Each structure stands twice: as C-alpha cells, then as structure tokens.
Amino acid sequence: MSPRSVITPWRACLALLLIVLPAPAWAGPALTDAQLRFITANAEFTLFHEMGHLLINELQLPVLGREEDAADQLGLVGLFLRHNRPRDRAFYRKLVDIAEYWRLEWQRPKPAYEEVQAWDSHALDAQRFYNIACLIYGSDPDNLDWVLETTGLPAERALYCDQEFAQARHAVEWLETRLRRPPDRPVRHRIRVQYDPPPAHINNGQDILQRVRESGELEAVANLASEMFDLPRDGQLRLSGCGAPDSWYDARNAEVVLCYERLEHFLLLSGTYTNPKAGTDSTLP
Ligand SMILES: [Zn+2]
C-alpha cells in the first residue's frame, strides 16, 4: 500500500465482493456473512487508500506528515462522505472490520521480512489499527462506546479522537470544496481500467477475472474519480498479479494497481477473524 496505493461507491465494493464470493469452483468451505463483510470492507478501503495517493499526487495536495497516514485518513473519511450513513449498523460493522484487519496483520505470526519496520514510510500495523479505531470512535463518541470495548482503544487516546476525526474530515471537505470539478467543465482525462490475466497460483483466477469484468464495478470506481475531479492526465486502475498481496499507486503513470493476491490475502485472513464482539448486534447501538 505504497505510493508506487477514493472514491468508490458502495456498488464498487460489491464488485470486489463478487471477486471473492465462493464461486462454484471454490474448493474451500463456504464463507460466513462475517467473512464476506470483512473481505468486502477491506477491499473497498484498499481502493480508497490507493485513490487517496492518486489524488494527493495528481492534484498536488499539500500534505503535512506521512503520506501513508494521509492516505489512510482520506480513505476512511472518504468512506463516511461517500456512504453518508452515520449511525447505520452495516456501515459501522464495515469500519470495525477495517480496523480489525490491521489488528490481524499486527498480531498474526509472520516471517521477519513481512514485518513493517520502524523506519518504514507506513505506520506500524498496530498504529494503523489504533489510528483507524480512533477515527471510527471519534466520528460519534456519544454513540460509539462499543467501539472502545470492541477494539480496546485506551481512554488516553480516545479522549481526543473526536478532534482527530474532525480535523481529518475538515481536510477532506476542504479538498472536495476546492477541487471538485465544476459540472459545466468537461471531463478532460479519465482513469481507465485494465485487467491483467490472473497468475496461475491464484485459486479460481479465471473465474475471478470473469466476475470482475462482468460486474463493471472497477469501471464505476474509475469513472467516479475521473468525473469528480479535473485530473491533469489520464490514469489507470489495473487488476493484476503482483507476486505479493499488495496494492499501490505509481506516480510515473498515474496508475493504481490492485493485486489478485491482496484479495486472496483478505480471504485467507477472514478465516482467522474471530473477534466475537466485532459487528455483532449486541455491540452496536
Ligand atoms: Zn499507501
């Protein structure tokens, strides 16, 4: 999820869900509703994060602090603005799933080369978990005490999360207000979608490719970003085999890449997603 890593409607994340839905050829056990929600939420957040990198670079947005942190904030606040469904149960389930993904990344056993190092441009997985949990809670502290219980976000951090969320939301609204393409200005440049063949090691790769193509939802994401902003050049959104569960934005050619392997990684991690409090009715307002 580096800037070599939005804006997507709900239907776009459904498209990504279609990618990983248990196809007839899927050899594993059927996915639970919680697994499907986890995969969908994190696929959507990945697109928002990477499109955040694209907007930062293509629109020359001023960034204080690390770009990776800014992309996470753009991604999460972008979800709020796009869905505009405060206090909606399904929406907050989705947000908690995104935070919990980073907890899983933080706590899962992994080889040393997969560990994020202190010098990395990304925050540590544990920090991304707490940062996102803080933004979620800070969006509506009066009604989201359950987020503190579910995520374990300490009170010392939670105390100021409303200010953190307000600051991030203000920045995103500033961007929207000043840089949204006027309706009377024609679209000069577009993000085009490209599908690379799935790598042989991806389970049901051809089926995944077919489902994504038929859904047309990646095109919907690309069109939304193209039409919302007056981009300075054409770009690409590419579904590709990368050899690793990655995604990125490449500033050389304004290209966002979402890897088949990353979707497969979400699928695998969803099988270990056992937090009993995340998104259950008893923990939601
Ligand atoms: Zn990134």
Side-chain angles (χ1 to χ4, degrees), residues 61-89:
L61 303 182
V63 174
L64 299 174
R66 286 190 297 204
E67 181 175 333
E68 290 297 340
D69 293 341
D72 273 352
Q73 293 197 354
L74 273 168
L76 200 77
V77 177
L79 291 176
F80 276 94
L81 296 178
R82 180 54 50 198
H83 294 296
N84 194 24
R85 294 191 302 182
R87 303 186 187 180
D88 179 270
R89 290 183 176 213

Side-chain angles (χ1 to χ4, degrees), residues 10 13 16-17 20 31-46 90 93-105 108 129 262-275 278:
W10 167 244
C13 81
L16 291 165
L17 174 59
V20 293
L31 300 179
T32 65
D33 289 346
Q35 283 179 283
L36 291 175
R37 194 182 65 233
F38 177 89
I39 297 163
T40 304
N42 283 289
E44 183 180 18
F45 179 69
T46 298
R93 283 194 183 104
K94 175 208 299 279
L95 298 185
V96 169
D97 281 355
I98 293 167
E100 289 296 334
Y101 164 76
W102 292 105
R103 185 209 294 276
L104 290 174
E105 283 292 358
R108 73 179 173 90
F129 164 69
R262 187 158 188 84
L263 298 175
E264 188 179 49
H265 184 61
F266 290 148
L267 173 63
L268 293 173
L269 278 186
S270 73
T272 68
Y273 186 26
T274 56
N275 187 332

Side-chain angles (χ1 to χ4, degrees), residues 37 87-97 100 133 136-137 139-153 273 275 277-285:
R37 194 182 65 233
R87 303 186 187 180
D88 179 270
R89 290 183 176 213
F91 179 63
Y92 277 108
R93 283 194 183 104
K94 175 208 299 279
L95 298 185
V96 169
D97 281 355
E100 289 296 334
I136 296 169
Y137 172 69
S139 71
D140 190 8
D142 291 341
N143 292 289
L144 295 175
D145 279 348
W146 63 271
V147 171
L148 301 183
E149 182 181 344
T150 298
T151 63
L153 183 70
Y273 186 26
N275 187 332
K277 296 177 180 174
T280 63
D281 286 342
S282 63
T283 62
L284 288 167

Side-chain angles (χ1 to χ4, degrees), residues 8 17 41-42 52 56 103 110 115 125 129 144 163 195 203 206-208 230 233 238 246 256 260 262 264 269 275 279:
T8 182
L17 174 59
N42 283 289
I56 287 169
R103 185 209 294 276
K110 50 183 167 301
E115 294 281 0
D125 294 335
F129 164 69
L144 295 175
Q163 295 177 33
Y195 300 96
N203 283 330
Q206 287 298 333
D207 185 52
I208 291 172
D230 185 16
R233 56 175 171 167
R238 180 196 297 261
D246 208 349
V256 166
Y260 287 97
R262 187 158 188 84
E264 188 179 49
L269 278 186
N275 187 332

Side-chain angles (χ1 to χ4, degrees), residues 15-21 23 25 193-200 202-219 237-241 258-261 263-264:
L16 291 165
L17 174 59
L18 290 176
I19 297 172
V20 293
L21 275 171
V193 175
Q194 178 167 332
Y195 300 96
D196 290 345
I202 298 291
N203 283 330
N204 305 313
Q206 287 298 333
D207 185 52
I208 291 172
L209 174 59
Q210 181 181 347
R211 284 165 178 265
V212 177
R213 279 186 180 281
E214 289 176 354
S215 74
E217 296 293 349
L218 290 186
E219 288 82 356
L237 171 55
R238 180 196 297 261
L239 180 63
S240 188
L258 176 63
C259 304
Y260 287 97
E261 291 90 341
L263 298 175
E264 188 179 49

